[in-house]
Amino acid sequence: QVQLVESGGGSAQAGGSLTLSCTASGYTYSRDCMGWFRQVSGKERELVANIYTGHVTYYTDSVKGRFTISQDNAKNTVYLQMNSLKPEDTAMYYCAADSFCSAVPAGFLYWGQGTQVTVS
């Protein structure tokens, strides 16, 4: 079992930056892949980025060059550094974990509670 807790959400101006954090606890065998998803009301939850075994990364096209996913294994924490924020980045952001990476929410077993990001 894995428990995930997100933090760092809030409000930012367009062009600004925010950093999200996700701290994992519990059974560690099912968190080799850590991912960030986002969702707005009335739309599907979409993959933003994921990281496998701490160094293999993937980004959706809309955030490439602006967002960076990283992992601090000593602190059991994954980060999402978001730069050059746009209003369309506004969403609830969720941290997810599982043994292997997937591009769809159904591929992740463990989820955090979400943290709101608002860009204006």
Side-chain angles (χ1 to χ4, degrees):
Q1 300 182 51
V2 176
Q3 295 80 45
L4 305 174
V5 179
E6 302 102 329
S7 63
S11 299
Q13 297 178 341
S17 299
L18 286 172
T19 299
L20 307 182
S21 299
C22 173
T23 299
S25 62
Y27 192 69
T28 62
Y29 281 72
S30 297
R31 65 186 196 194
D32 284 335
C33 183
M34 303 290 293
W36 286 99
F37 288 76
R38 64 187 181 187
Q39 186 173 29
V40 298
S41 296
K43 296 185 178 181
E44 294 182 342
R45 189 171 298 185
E46 298 180 331
L47 176 67
V48 177
N50 59 41
I51 183 166
Y52 182 65
T53 63
H55 67 281
V56 181
T57 61
Y58 169 85
Y59 301 92
T60 192
D61 287 343
S62 63
V63 308
K64 286 181 179 178
R66 300 190 297 121
F67 292 9
T68 302
I69 188 170
S70 61
Q71 190 167 346
D72 185 338
N73 291 324
K75 297 181 179 179
N76 298 312
T77 301
V78 64
Y79 303 92
L80 186 67
Q81 175 68 50
M82 304 184 294
N83 298 322
S84 302
L85 284 164
K86 303 176 180 179
E88 51 262 45
D89 295 318
T90 296
M92 184 73 73
Y93 283 71
Y94 296 90
C95 179
D98 213 327
S99 298
F100 298 96
C101 286
S102 174
V104 297
F108 288 84
L109 182 60
Y110 302 104
W111 293 86
Q113 81 287 352
T115 185
Q116 178 69 37
V117 172
T118 302
V119 183
S120 61

